[in-house]
């Protein structure tokens, strides 16, 4: 039955559904488990759906969590005058969440977040990098390889290269040797990625510095880049690998918590150490919001050097809401837990 009052619909793709589909398409069970782990935020948030519903009810709106395979029917029956669609998990290749904002648009429903064109763009790192460079933003120049063949060669680099899948989630690297020295090593990594995941790789000159995550939620619909939470993310390594990700989220992360082995990376305010770099990051965010159309909720990944040079690595229109860094951002910026922040964000739009 379709909801009648103001309603927030949260559309998500479950890990299990993705795993089963990938196995049916011929992926190994190991690769399917690794790939579907990128959807761990849907697993991690599901136990809090009742909290979100309660926080929403307190603010005069209803909440409905919708599995992606049910989204076409549910959104097709939604009232276009008082419905709001929030897409939790994106994807255009291994994952299918990018269809959710398109379904919302098809049915004339308002959405939280960027439009569906950006859902597609951010999931293709090579194309996204080209667009960001055209906007004059500080992104590394990328090469593109498929298997052992260059589709676009990267520039020469004295610092070596960084290799990452082009469309697989948002991770900076897969293996510990994702930072390699020679272009030939990058091609060898490209072959490994293609064999395991059937994906092209982006090959960029390695950029030094510390990892920074900038998180944004426009709890106030008029919020701008000043509402960014900008933090160094210090995990003890130079970059996050697939193994690091598995240890933090989903079933593996839950098992680590239960066994007392879970350790979150440290979050340190960039403003407190490098305020010039923090201001440059806000300028990048302002440019992305005005020229590219980022809005409502997103995250940006940077590398920041000691001299305040910033390198934009990528942007995400579906940041990991239940992840430690976004929860910390909601507490510090908005003084709310995640469920309350989501409900307040939706209510301020639905009840305006």
């Amino acid at each position: 039955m379709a909801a009648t009052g103001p309603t927030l619909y949260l559309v998500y793709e479950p890990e299990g559904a993705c795993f089963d589909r990938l196995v049916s398409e011929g992926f190994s069970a190991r690769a399917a488990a690794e790939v579907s782990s990128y959807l761990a935020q849907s697993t991690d948030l599901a136990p809090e759906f009742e909290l979100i519903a309660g926080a929403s009810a307190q603010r005069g709106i209803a909440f409905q969590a919708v599995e992606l395979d049910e989204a076409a029917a549910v959104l097709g029956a939604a009232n276009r005058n008082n419905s709001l669609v929030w897409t939790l998990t994106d994807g255009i290749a291994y994952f299918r969440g990018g269809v959710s904002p398109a379904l919302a648009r098809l049915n004339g429903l308002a959405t939280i977040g960027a439009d569906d064109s950006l859902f597609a763009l951010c999931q293709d790192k090579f194309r996204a990098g080209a667009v960001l460079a055209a906007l004059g933003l500080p992104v590394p120049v990328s090469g593109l390889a498929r298997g052992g063949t260059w589709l676009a060669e990267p520039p020469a680099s004295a610092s070596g290269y960084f290799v990452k899948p082009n469309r697989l989630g948002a991770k900076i690297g897969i293996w510990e040797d994702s930072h390699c020295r020679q272009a030939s090593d990058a091609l060898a990594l490209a072959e490994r990625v293609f064999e395991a995941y059937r994906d092209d790789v982006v090959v960029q000159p390695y950029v030094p510095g510390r990892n920074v995550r900038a998180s944004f939620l426009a709890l106030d619909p008029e919020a701008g880049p000043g509402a960014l939470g900008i933090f160094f993310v210090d995990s003890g390594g130079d970059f996050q690998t697939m193994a690091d990700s598995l240890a933090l989220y989903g079933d593996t992360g839950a098992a680590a918590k239960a066994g007392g082995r879970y350790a979150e990376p440290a979050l340190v305010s960039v403003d407190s150490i490098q305020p010039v770099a923090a201001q440059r990051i806000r300028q990048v965010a302002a440019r992305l919001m005005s020229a590219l159309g980022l809005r409502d909720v997103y995250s940006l990944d940077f590398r920041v050097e000691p001299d305040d040079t910033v390198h934009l690595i990528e942007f995400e229109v579906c940041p990991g809401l239940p992840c430690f860094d976004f929860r910390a951002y909601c507490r510090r910026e908005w003084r709310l837990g995640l469920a309350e922040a989501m409900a307040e964000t939706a209510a301020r739009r639905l009840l305006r």
Side-chain angles (χ1 to χ4, degrees):
M1 179 181 297
T4 56
T7 303
L8 169 63
Y9 295 93
L10 184 72
V11 182
Y12 67 98
E13 182 174 9
E15 277 186 272
C18 179
F19 175 86
D20 292 342
R21 180 170 47 80
L22 292 175
V23 169
S24 72
E25 293 175 0
F27 284 83
S28 70
R30 176 176 179 176
E34 290 179 337
V35 170
S36 61
S37 74
Y38 285 89
L39 298 174
Q41 60 175 306
S42 61
T43 301
D44 292 341
L45 192 58
E48 298 179 61
F49 286 164
E50 289 188 9
L51 290 176
I52 301 171
S56 298
Q58 291 175 0
R59 292 163 171 82
I61 65 174
F63 170 77
Q64 185 172 343
V66 182
E67 291 194 14
L68 184 63
D69 287 334
E70 306 298 326
V74 173
L75 299 186
N79 186 332
R80 67 174 58 194
N81 295 316
N82 60 7
S83 298
L84 186 65
V85 178
W86 193 328
T87 301
L88 177 64
T89 48
D90 56 15
I92 58 170
Y94 306 92
F95 320 120
R96 300 167 297 150
V99 73
S100 173
L103 285 172
R105 182 160 62 89
L106 178 67
N107 290 288
L109 305 176
T111 60
I112 286 283
D115 67 44
D116 44 294
S117 66
L118 290 191
F119 275 71
L121 181 64
C122 77
Q123 287 285 298
D124 189 315
K125 296 182 179 68
F126 184 73
R127 293 179 183 177
V131 171
L132 297 176
L135 290 174
L137 296 170
V139 293
V141 179
S142 296
L144 186 69
R146 178 175 301 153
T149 303
W150 290 116
L151 301 180
E153 292 193 30
S157 172
S159 60
Y161 297 94
F162 213 87
V163 180
K164 56 187 177 182
N166 188 43
R167 299 179 302 165
L168 176 56
K171 291 297 168 284
I172 295 177
I174 290 291
W175 300 296
E176 291 183 356
D177 57 354
S178 292
H179 175 201
C180 58
R181 290 296 172 188
Q182 306 294 330
S184 57
D185 298 328
L187 276 183
L189 279 167
E191 289 189 87
R192 287 168 57 193
V193 169
F194 194 81
E195 181 178 351
Y197 308 110
R198 306 179 192 173
D199 199 7
D200 299 342
V201 299
V202 170
V203 180
Q204 298 171 332
Y206 173 82
V207 293
R210 296 170 69 183
N211 297 317
V212 168
R213 167 64 58 84
S215 298
F216 181 81
L217 177 65
L219 185 143
D220 177 350
E222 304 304 319
L228 278 173
I230 308 171
F231 300 100
F232 290 113
V233 183
D234 295 326
S235 59
D238 186 32
F239 56 89
Q240 190 178 59
T241 65
M242 174 72 81
D244 296 330
S245 177
L246 289 172
L248 286 172
Y249 312 116
D251 293 337
T252 305
K257 290 177 182 177
R261 304 182 306 279
Y262 179 80
E264 292 180 353
L267 297 175
V268 179
S269 169
V270 176
D271 276 294
S272 68
I273 299 175
Q274 294 183 243
V276 172
Q279 182 57 26
R280 289 176 178 174
I281 287 171
R282 291 189 181 92
Q283 291 170 352
V284 169
R287 178 73 168 145
L288 288 168
M289 293 179 77
S290 64
L292 199 61
L294 288 189
R295 65 182 179 92
D296 296 336
V297 59
Y298 62 81
S299 66
L300 309 172
D301 288 314
F302 291 85
R303 298 276 278 185
V304 174
E305 299 190 49
D307 67 356
D308 294 323
T309 298
V310 302
H311 305 273
L312 174 60
I313 302 301
E314 56 196 21
F315 70 93
E316 288 298 324
V317 295
C318 279
L321 300 183
C323 298
F324 67 93
D325 55 311
F326 200 86
R327 290 182 188 275
Y329 162 69
C330 289
R331 290 193 301 269
R332 298 187 193 193
E333 177 64 30
W334 298 113
R335 304 294 189 266
L336 292 172
L338 179 61
E340 291 77 14
M342 293 177 66
E344 183 69 18
T345 298
R348 291 195 185 193
R349 287 159 174 77
L350 281 166
L351 302 179
R352 280 196 297 183

